[in-house]
Amino acid sequence: MESKLLSPMPGAVISIGVAVGDMVSAGQSCAVVEAMKMQNSLTIARDGKVKAIYVAPGDKVADEDVILELE
């Protein structure tokens, strides 16, 4: 199963709701990306532990950029 959370579209990172080392559950909202004045909550596909976060609030992301990775 996918161990990375990818941006579904180009936009700006509004918030990151987890930290490295946090345990997350499938379906949990981990980040918010804004595109065309609409905010999209990004959820993780599986349970796991956050290994790395590659963006910060205010960063611009492209389609399929990696937001975070699970162990």
Side-chain angles (χ1 to χ4, degrees), residues 4-37:
K4 296 178 182 175
L5 179 64
L6 306 177
S7 176
M9 69 200 73
V13 177
I14 299 301
S15 65
I16 300 291
V18 295
V20 172
D22 285 357
M23 294 301 295
V24 293
S25 301
Q28 179 177 337
S29 177
C30 294
V32 176
V33 172
E34 182 178 81
M36 298 184 295
K37 304 215 185 252

Side-chain angles (χ1 to χ4, degrees), residues 25-29 43-47:
S25 301
Q28 179 177 337
S29 177
T43 59
I44 200 70
R46 69 171 181 91
D47 295 351

